[in-house]
Structures are given as C-alpha cells and as structure tokens.
Amino acid sequence: MSATQGVAGGADFRPRVEKLLTDILGLMGFPARLDLLDAADGSLSVALHFESGAPPGVEPGKRSQVLDSLQFLLNKMLHRPGVERRWVMLGAGAHPEPRPRRDAAAQPQAAAPVAQVAAAAPAQQPARAAAPAPAAQPQQRSARGGQPQAAKPQAPAKAVEADERTLQVEEEPVFREAVRKLAEKSASLGRFYAFAAMKTEDRARALKAVEGVDGVKVAAEGEGRNRRVVFTPAKPAPMPKRSLLPDDDEDDVDA
C-alpha cells in the first residue's frame, strides 16, 4: 500500500479538490492558484491566490461569508455517504488558521458550571435555611375535606382580536373589485378560499368589500400572525374525482 492510499478521502482526494475548486472559481469569474497543505488536525488546507483580484467581500488573511459558503459547498460535494471524511479549509491569500473542534471546546465549558454548582452547594444550604418564609398564599380545601390545597395560578387572559368590520379604512377600488370577484367565485363554484398574511387594514377592506354578495360568508378567523380572511360558500360543492389512468389491458393493444 502506498502512502497516498492510506489518506482519508482516498488517493484521488487532492486531485478532486483541485478540479472542483478550479471549476467553481472559473465559473465565478475569479480564477486562482491553489496552494494545498496537509494540516496538523488531518484536514486539507488550501490557500487561494486570486490571479485577477479577489471576489467582492474577500480580503487576504480574513474570513468572509464568500469563503465560508465556498468551503461549505466544496465539502458537501466531496463528502460522499459511506466514505471517510476529510475536511477542506479555505483561506484567501494564506492558509487559514486551524479552528478548534466544537466537541473538544464544549467539554471544558460544560464541566465548569457543574464544578461551580458542586462547590457552591454547601455554602448555599445555610442561606436557604435562614431565608424568610414566603408570603402566605390563599388556600382551598379539597372536596373530600383533606389537607388544604394551594390555589392554582390563573393563566393570563388571551388578547381579544379586534373586529376588523368596525375599523375605518380608506377604500381601494381595485382591491375591492378583486375581493368581490373571489367572493362571487366562491359562491358560484362552492369552493372555500382564504387570504393569509394580511395586514389588519387589508382584512378590514376585504370584509367591507364583500358586503352584499349572496351565497358566501366571509369572516376573519385565527389569532395573531395566523389570522386570515375565510370565504365559506353557502352550498359547498364536492371536489371532482381525479381521473384514473386506463388499465393496461389487452383491449388497449392494437391488433
């Protein structure tokens, strides 16, 4: 076995990186000379020396969204399922600085709070014992006459949506005509329609526009961002059945 065959990503990993990068940079209109180097963490470092100037937003020796996006795309194209992965890091004008692994960096941070809590726990126990008792809460006795139970906190009341029909808004003739046509279509075809993601003023205009249209009920339903204007026909019609493909019988074959 040669030395290159034992490298993660396969013996053709470097040629594939060079080919993909050259093609992508060529399509972008920013050809570059590639300097490939094996990094200490096992990844492949590539310094991009642009021949006719770097792309907008890219500065030598600095990270940028353009390089991060290019690096993400390149690794997605290189890492096939079932193949040992070897990451490629890109830098503009120089090799990028190695980044610490997320799992290794997260372990000390996760262990520090645990140690702090364990060390501070004994010192907090006397403080808790000396803390003043909380204010008495109203209590209720259970139906069976047992021990008194603490009253359950009441859930905050939901905000009531304003009735759009009561709002005074300026009429828009084009918008009014389009809404009325949709209401008439809903009544004649028996179909349900809805307007979503509308402003409160537009919902008010829609509700005022359909006044006098027979055979359909239009109302605002839902809460918050999910509030919408719904068209409900007085006589809903069933959806037509989809036509099935003909069976491949012998009768369909020309004699």
Side-chain angles (χ1 to χ4, degrees):
M1 179 183 298
S2 62
T4 57
Q5 291 179 347
V7 177
D12 62 339
F13 185 72
R14 281 198 174 206
R16 287 168 50 207
V17 172
E18 293 182 3
K19 179 68 166 57
L20 286 174
L21 266 179
T22 301
D23 292 345
I24 295 175
L25 294 174
L27 293 173
M28 292 174 58
F30 295 94
R33 178 176 57 85
L34 309 181
D35 181 14
L36 284 70
L37 179 65
D38 294 329
D41 59 355
S43 62
L44 182 63
S45 174
V46 182
L48 307 179
H49 301 279
F50 296 98
E51 299 176 357
S52 56
V58 177
E59 297 182 11
K62 296 183 179 180
R63 301 300 308 177
S64 65
Q65 294 182 355
V66 176
L67 280 185
D68 290 342
S69 301
L70 180 59
Q71 179 177 294
F72 175 82
L73 175 63
L74 180 64
N75 282 285
K76 280 292 184 181
M77 299 174 67
L78 290 170
H79 295 160
R80 302 172 182 173
V83 179
E84 187 178 0
R85 298 184 176 184
R86 188 184 184 194
W87 297 100
V88 179
M89 307 292 291
L90 302 181
H95 289 279
E97 296 182 0
R99 295 185 177 182
R101 294 184 178 272
R102 292 183 179 180
D103 52 355
Q107 290 179 358
Q109 296 177 359
V114 176
Q116 293 176 2
V117 171
Q124 293 177 355
Q125 291 179 358
R128 292 180 180 176
Q137 299 292 337
Q139 297 181 346
Q140 298 178 353
R141 292 188 177 275
S142 62
R144 298 181 181 179
Q147 296 295 330
Q149 298 178 352
K152 296 182 179 180
Q154 297 181 355
K158 294 183 179 180
V160 180
E161 295 289 347
D163 186 2
E164 288 84 350
R165 297 182 187 272
T166 62
L167 299 180
Q168 298 296 329
V169 293
E170 184 179 355
E171 181 179 340
E172 297 181 2
V174 178
F175 181 82
R176 179 179 183 277
E177 184 65 20
V179 174
R180 290 186 67 88
K181 286 184 178 180
L182 183 61
E184 295 171 354
K185 182 178 179 181
S186 175
S188 61
L189 300 180
R191 298 286 184 265
F192 293 82
Y193 298 100
F195 285 147
M198 297 181 68
K199 296 181 179 179
T200 304
E201 295 78 5
D202 292 335
R203 289 197 298 267
R205 293 187 179 95
L207 295 177
K208 293 179 182 297
V210 298
E211 294 178 354
V213 179
D214 298 329
V216 62
K217 176 184 176 182
V218 184
E221 301 177 358
E223 298 177 355
R225 293 182 297 179
N226 296 326
R227 194 163 177 81
R228 58 198 178 277
V229 177
V230 180
F231 295 72
T232 304
K235 297 180 179 180
M239 294 293 293
K241 295 182 179 180
R242 295 182 179 180
S243 59
L244 301 178
L245 294 176
D247 296 333
D248 189 11
D249 296 333
E250 294 180 357
D251 298 340
D252 299 333
V253 181
D254 296 336

